[in-house]
Amino acid sequence: MRKLLMVLRVALKALMAHKMRSVLTMLGVVIGVAAVISLVAVGNGAQAQVVSQFESLGSNLLTVSPMVSFGFSRQGLQQSSASLSNADVEAIEALASAVARVAPQYNSNATVTQGGNTTNLTVYGVTPDYGDVRNWDLARGRFLTDEDNDNLAMVVVLGQTAVEDLFGSALVDPLGQTVRINRQNYEVVGVLQNKGQSGFGNQDSLAMIPLRTAQLKLGGAGTQTISQINLQVGSADEMALAQAQVTAILRTRHGLSASQDADFTVQNQADIVSTVSETTGTFTTLLGSIAAISLLVGGIGIMNIMLVSVTERTREVGLRKAVGAKRGDILLQFLAEAIVLSVLGGLIGVALGMAGAQLITPLLGSSQALVSPQSVALALAVSLGIGIFFGLYPANRAAGLNPIDALRYE
């Protein structure tokens, strides 16, 4: 231990003798480590943000949507889709034992006005279970009830952005006031908690009205169409069973044979989250790999300077060997200098990378940067490895000098 401390002290003294050269040599490692730490932190933050957005949509969630298809006609590219109906919802409620809650919705874009303010919103026709299934909390007021749905009530629950657009400020209490949706009056009975911007758009720019009201007022008399069916499964272990049950029920109801493709899709939220996590994880790894190239450049810089140092100190090496220094002593001395350069550069790089991640994150449109202990440990381990790998050749070259030739060197 005493010998190791002495070696480190001598290494620091040698590096301090050429301060500017040592700083410039460390710079490559500093930049490399900082780049790896900051970019991986941004990638991890983006991954966590996306996963959080999906999880905010609901827990143990299945979504059933009609299949959309495209084809060409004389009028050009045409879009068509199968449809889900109220009868499909009733069948799932009655037959899918693994499904705890069923929350259908009917979507339509509408013009909404209040006083002199006008905005275009997505209006969701929903049932009372929709708020719980899709994790919507209330900021004030109440949610829609079974009575609202049964009585075709003209009531609405607004998102925070919708309140701001219609009333001029999200701080205004709109409860009891009237808004016009497609020129028809609706009483505001509730305001939803803020969910914020996401990859799906602004989640707060919406209005919710009773499902039957939406089908009648926005879809037309006799409309039984459902835009999407949201299903909450009792537990994560039953997700696969629920998905199989719902698929079988709808295939039977739609008269599809075993050889026919389904005219609907059943999406498992857990599978979507897993896929998104894997994709963003790959992106994070790619970012880290690109940044790691600069670490390689930094290692080459360390090797170059150490070779110069060996040449400059040839007579010193010869003198040490003449007074009894062994090959291992010389090897350890020069290797210690390379390791000190790389480790110091790594420590500085980690600090700069953590600070840089906080600066880069807002510029890339993300809301958080996550610096994981694993990435810090890996960066420091790599910088240590670079010091050993790129310092070994110059150190070995110094240790192999012939003491007589070294003493003669000018």
Side-chain angles (χ1 to χ4, degrees):
M1 185 67 181
R2 185 176 179 182
K3 181 179 179 180
L4 182 60
L5 291 175
M6 183 183 70
V7 169
L8 290 175
R9 186 165 58 250
V10 173
L12 287 171
K13 184 177 180 181
L15 295 175
M16 291 298 292
H18 301 88
K19 296 184 182 66
M20 183 57 67
R21 187 170 73 181
S22 298
V23 169
L24 293 176
T25 303
M26 284 193 300
L27 195 58
V29 177
V30 170
I31 292 173
V33 171
V36 170
I37 293 293
S38 58
L39 291 180
V40 169
V42 170
N44 287 339
Q47 180 179 2
Q49 182 179 354
V50 171
V51 171
S52 175
Q53 288 168 357
F54 272 103
E55 291 178 343
S56 72
L57 298 179
S59 57
N60 298 334
L61 181 67
L62 292 176
T63 57
V64 185
S65 306
M67 184 72 74
V68 178
S69 59
F70 297 89
F72 288 94
S73 66
R74 292 181 179 180
Q75 289 75 33
L77 181 65
Q78 299 291 314
Q79 175 181 326
S80 62
S81 64
S83 62
L84 299 171
S85 66
N86 291 343
D88 291 327
V89 175
E90 293 167 2
I92 293 173
E93 288 177 328
L95 302 174
S97 59
V99 174
R101 287 183 175 180
V102 181
Q105 66 185 68
Y106 178 85
N107 305 343
S108 180
N109 293 322
T111 301
V112 184
T113 60
Q114 203 287 324
N117 298 321
T118 301
T119 186
N120 292 314
L121 298 176
T122 301
V123 178
Y124 293 84
V126 300
T127 58
D129 282 337
Y130 185 84
D132 292 329
V133 172
R134 295 305 295 262
N135 279 352
W136 278 106
D137 295 320
L138 285 168
R140 57 174 74 99
R142 66 172 179 86
F143 200 67
L144 305 173
T145 65
D146 287 322
E147 288 75 15
D148 293 331
N149 197 42
D150 293 340
N151 298 329
L152 300 176
M154 305 287 281
V155 294
V156 62
V157 177
L158 297 175
Q160 292 280 352
T161 301
V163 172
E164 188 173 338
D165 291 341
L166 292 170
F167 293 91
S169 171
L171 301 177
V172 173
D173 185 1
L175 296 184
Q177 300 198 50
T178 299
V179 299
R180 292 177 64 82
I181 302 177
N182 284 0
R183 298 191 295 272
Q184 294 181 318
N185 292 333
Y186 289 77
E187 179 188 355
V188 180
V189 296
V191 177
L192 298 167
Q193 286 279 10
N194 181 58
K195 275 199 175 183
Q197 193 76 21
S198 77
F200 315 103
N202 189 342
Q203 298 184 86
D204 301 312
S205 184
L206 55 80
M208 296 183 186
I209 63 177
L211 175 62
R212 292 186 61 195
T213 303
Q215 289 176 322
L216 176 64
K217 301 297 183 180
L218 303 180
T223 298
Q224 297 288 304
T225 302
I226 297 295
S227 302
Q228 182 173 287
I229 306 174
N230 305 281
L231 310 171
Q232 189 177 63
V233 182
S235 68
D237 295 336
E238 295 181 298
M239 291 290 280
L241 173 61
Q243 191 168 1
Q245 288 180 343
V246 171
T247 301
I249 291 167
L250 293 181
R251 288 187 68 88
T252 301
R253 272 203 42 78
H254 294 190
L256 299 173
S257 66
S259 60
Q260 289 179 293
D261 292 333
D263 57 358
F264 59 90
T265 59
V266 182
Q267 292 183 304
N268 185 328
Q269 183 203 30
D271 292 341
I272 297 173
V273 171
S274 177
T275 301
V276 170
S277 297
E278 185 177 338
T279 302
T280 52
T282 301
F283 176 67
T284 300
T285 302
L286 178 62
L287 287 177
S289 300
I290 293 172
I293 295 174
S294 57
L295 271 175
L296 179 64
V297 175
I300 294 172
I302 289 177
M303 177 182 281
N304 180 52
I305 292 303
M306 291 309 299
L307 285 172
V308 171
S309 180
V310 170
T311 302
E312 289 179 345
R313 296 159 63 185
T314 300
R315 284 179 61 83
E316 175 190 330
V317 172
L319 183 59
R320 288 191 177 190
K321 284 196 168 187
V323 297
K326 298 178 181 179
R327 176 186 175 88
D329 296 327
I330 303 300
L331 180 70
L332 182 60
Q333 186 59 60
F334 280 89
L335 189 58
E337 293 180 20
I339 291 174
V340 168
L341 279 174
S342 62
V343 171
L344 281 177
L347 291 171
I348 296 171
V350 167
L352 291 178
M354 294 173 69
Q358 306 305 321
L359 297 176
I360 295 173
T361 298
L363 299 178
L364 298 179
S366 186
S367 62
Q368 61 179 333
L370 295 179
V371 180
S372 66
Q374 292 87 349
S375 64
V376 173
L378 180 61
L380 291 176
V382 169
S383 62
L384 175 61
I386 284 174
I388 295 173
F389 181 80
F390 288 100
L392 194 57
Y393 173 72
N396 189 59
R397 182 172 174 179
L401 289 174
N402 185 295
I404 296 176
D405 293 337
L407 286 170
R408 289 175 179 174
Y409 185 82
E410 296 293 338

